[in-house]
Amino acid sequence: MKRLSLKTRLVLLHTGMMALVVCIVLALLFSISSREIVSNVENTLEASVFGAFEDMEYEDGRWDFDSDLMNLEDGVYLSVYDKNSQELLYGRIPYGFAYDLPFESGNLRTITAGENDYSVLDLEHTVNGRPVLIRGVISISDAERDFRYTLRLALILSPLMIFLTAVCGYLLSRRALYPVSKITKTVQEIQKEKDLSKRIDLGKGNDEIYTLARTFDGLLETIDAGMQREKQFTSDVAHELRTPISVVLMQCEDLLQGNHLDEEGRREVSVIHRKMKSISDMVSQLLLLSRADQGREKLNLEPVDFSEICEMVAEEFTGIAQEKGIQIQTRIEPGLQLTADQTLMIRLLGNLLENAVSYGNPGGHVWVSAWKADEYLQVLVKDDGIGISPQDLPRIWDRFYQADPSRNSDSSGLGLSMVKWIVEAHHGQISVSSELGKGTAFSCIFPSGS
């Protein structure tokens, strides 16, 4: 099962704890048995009956009762009887209660009358020498009914309380984890756009997450500064190497054009010239990539005949391919138009064809296809050469990376990096598929309006 997010786990934990508390409270309410309800009722009844002693007086043959005896305080019915005649002197009893219930002074009883249960307490009391009986009656059924009503209300409100707890927990979790979400979003943007200048910038805060964000921003500052220094160093080195390389190439060309070298010397100078030409191409590509990294490489966009470019580059590599016994076959749709930098497009196709020929097998084939599908222009360069192993495939876009450098010692390892940058600079997409020992296919897609 997919691991739940931290926000979801916090909400579930908070809601679960609230549900547990509610269940415990309800369990405590359920644990209040009828005996405990009756006990509370009886305590109330005893307090009311004993309190009635102060609400009556007998003077000059007359009874004087306080009106509080008629009030249903705490639901207790109070009535006063003459002990001798058992005549009702004052008070009242519940409707439907037995009027002829025998008196049992000091005995607390439970009586059933109709559908209700009552607690009854009779006490004997003497007021100025005149004995009376005081009877207190309270309904147990009413108390149980009130308790059940409260319990039902609690059961009804419990889901609402849990739901509100879940909502509050979600809002609190989202607010608490907002910094984490912002950190994640910033990292994803950096990965997608490869822009180390972005910062999280949570603002002021002293908790652990804010400290983590500031630390992460500091790390980005360090990495960005290091990358900028590396780009500048690469650009400076490539720029400084151009002059001495050009001088060496010119000297080699002068020597080769002269007549004062013997055959062996001419071969050695030719080797130097070829190697320096390879280094010159590498420095040129490295300088271009460095300027691109720094945002200083501007595209010279113009309408170009892409079909003509493909045919021209394929024709240029035909002779090189034939030296290795490789046949280049083209299937290029005529009249393909594209707004692009012509020089970079020539370099893109040249790098792909050079790669296909260099890693092709003698007697093999290279196929170059270009066509328009919907609103996109598609290019495919495919070969039946040695292929690329699955573990090497993700790294072929890295600069200076070569899966098998022994197969092409003149390769700089920058060709495919250059290809990828050119495609992305024209808002296109590039993909590769390969099978070891069977060949490789590079596919480029460009918006036809680019």
Side-chain angles (χ1 to χ4, degrees):
M1 187 178 69
K2 187 178 179 180
R3 188 175 179 85
L4 297 176
S5 66
L6 180 59
K7 183 189 298 182
T8 303
R9 281 183 283 164
L10 286 175
V11 172
L12 291 177
L13 177 62
H14 190 257
T15 305
M17 292 184 64
M18 185 61 188
L20 179 62
V21 171
V22 170
C23 291
I24 291 174
V25 172
L26 290 177
L28 290 175
L29 289 175
F30 275 116
S31 68
I32 300 177
S33 62
S34 298
R35 180 184 57 80
E36 292 168 327
I37 296 175
V38 171
S39 176
N40 292 333
V41 168
E42 290 175 349
N43 290 335
T44 301
L45 178 60
E46 289 179 359
S48 297
V49 172
F50 281 104
F53 293 164
E54 301 176 358
D55 295 333
M56 62 184 72
E57 292 182 359
Y58 183 76
E59 191 174 356
D60 299 329
R62 293 181 65 256
W63 283 100
D64 184 16
F65 297 99
D66 195 306
S67 60
D68 287 345
L69 292 172
M70 295 294 289
N71 297 332
L72 287 177
E73 187 175 353
D74 296 326
V76 177
Y77 291 84
L78 295 173
S79 54
V80 182
Y81 298 84
D82 184 273
K83 180 181 179 182
N84 297 324
S85 63
Q86 296 193 352
E87 176 186 357
L88 178 62
L89 300 177
Y90 194 79
R92 58 176 179 168
I93 60 176
Y95 177 78
F97 187 78
Y99 284 86
D100 56 350
L101 181 67
F103 289 93
E104 295 182 10
S105 180
N107 186 22
L108 185 60
R109 296 170 288 170
T110 299
I111 304 298
T112 300
E115 297 180 354
N116 294 322
D117 293 331
Y118 296 94
S119 283
V120 181
L121 176 61
D122 297 329
L123 288 179
E124 183 178 342
H125 183 56
T126 301
V127 182
N128 291 336
R130 185 69 180 248
V132 293
L133 292 171
I134 303 173
R135 170 167 288 177
V137 181
I138 187 172
S139 174
I140 300 175
S141 299
D142 288 345
E144 292 177 338
R145 193 177 299 114
D146 292 342
F147 172 74
R148 287 194 295 270
Y149 173 78
T150 303
L151 194 58
R152 283 197 299 270
L153 183 62
L155 289 172
I156 293 172
L157 293 178
S158 294
L160 178 61
M161 293 173 61
I162 294 174
F163 173 76
L164 291 176
T165 300
V167 172
C168 293
Y170 171 78
L171 295 176
L172 290 173
S173 299
R174 187 175 68 174
R175 182 175 180 83
L177 295 177
Y178 168 74
V180 178
S181 300
K182 189 170 182 182
I183 292 173
T184 304
K185 183 179 179 181
T186 302
V187 173
Q188 290 173 343
E189 290 177 352
I190 292 173
Q191 289 178 328
K192 181 179 179 181
E193 302 174 12
K194 295 180 173 51
D195 183 5
L196 289 173
S197 65
K198 290 183 178 293
R199 299 293 180 267
I200 299 170
D201 193 20
L202 285 183
K204 296 181 179 179
N206 297 318
D207 60 26
E208 291 82 357
I209 295 180
Y210 279 82
T211 302
L212 174 63
R214 284 194 295 270
T215 304
F216 193 80
D217 281 342
L219 177 62
L220 286 175
E221 288 280 358
T222 303
I223 295 175
D224 189 27
M227 293 294 292
Q228 293 300 327
R229 287 193 298 270
E230 180 182 342
K231 292 175 183 177
Q232 187 62 48
F233 173 77
T234 303
S235 177
D236 293 343
V237 169
H239 183 76
E240 293 298 326
L241 286 175
R242 294 181 71 181
T243 300
I245 290 174
S246 298
V247 171
V248 173
L249 283 173
M250 290 175 61
Q251 293 294 328
C252 289
E253 291 169 359
D254 289 342
L255 288 173
L256 291 173
Q257 291 175 1
N259 297 321
H260 50 278
L261 288 177
D262 57 19
E263 190 63 30
E264 183 179 356
R266 188 173 293 276
R267 280 199 307 270
E268 291 176 353
V269 172
S270 296
V271 171
I272 295 173
H273 183 270
R274 188 175 66 253
K275 291 295 182 181
M276 292 307 297
K277 184 66 170 64
S278 175
I279 294 174
S280 177
D281 292 340
M282 181 188 71
V283 170
S284 177
Q285 292 188 84
L286 188 60
L287 189 59
L288 190 149
L289 287 173
S290 178
R291 288 198 299 263
D293 289 339
Q294 296 173 353
R296 296 189 292 113
E297 183 65 26
K298 303 300 181 183
L299 302 185
N300 183 24
L301 299 177
E302 58 182 347
V304 298
D305 188 331
F306 194 74
S307 301
E308 183 180 340
I309 292 176
C310 291
E311 294 283 3
M312 180 184 67
V313 176
E315 180 67 24
E316 179 183 344
F317 276 86
T318 298
I320 302 173
Q322 287 176 349
E323 293 179 1
K324 292 188 63 175
I326 296 174
Q327 184 180 359
I328 295 180
Q329 299 179 0
T330 61
R331 191 177 62 180
I332 301 169
E333 184 178 313
L336 294 175
Q337 296 295 317
L338 185 67
T339 301
D341 188 311
Q342 180 171 313
T343 303
L344 291 181
M345 282 297 159
I346 293 173
R347 176 167 287 186
L348 180 148
L349 292 169
N351 285 355
L352 289 178
L353 279 170
E354 181 182 4
N355 200 68
V357 172
S358 298
Y359 292 99
N361 292 317
H365 300 81
V366 174
W367 295 272
V368 181
S369 305
W371 70 97
K372 185 176 181 180
D374 297 328
E375 298 299 320
Y376 296 93
L377 191 152
Q378 300 189 30
V379 184
L380 178 67
V381 178
K382 182 180 178 182
D383 65 70
D384 54 4
I386 64 174
I388 305 172
S389 64
Q391 61 267 28
D392 290 325
L393 202 58
R395 299 191 58 192
I396 62 174
W397 311 111
D398 296 345
R399 296 177 190 179
F400 301 108
Y401 182 78
Q402 298 183 61
D404 186 8
S406 63
R407 288 297 300 264
N408 188 7
S409 58
D410 291 333
S411 174
S412 64
L414 293 173
L416 292 179
S417 299
M418 177 70 66
V419 167
K420 190 172 189 295
W421 174 78
I422 293 173
V423 172
E424 292 177 349
H426 286 82
H427 309 290
Q429 297 178 359
I430 185 168
S431 60
V432 58
S433 60
S434 183
E435 189 173 350
L436 198 60
K438 293 187 177 181
T440 304
F442 288 91
S443 176
C444 304
I445 300 176
F446 299 99
S448 59
S450 66

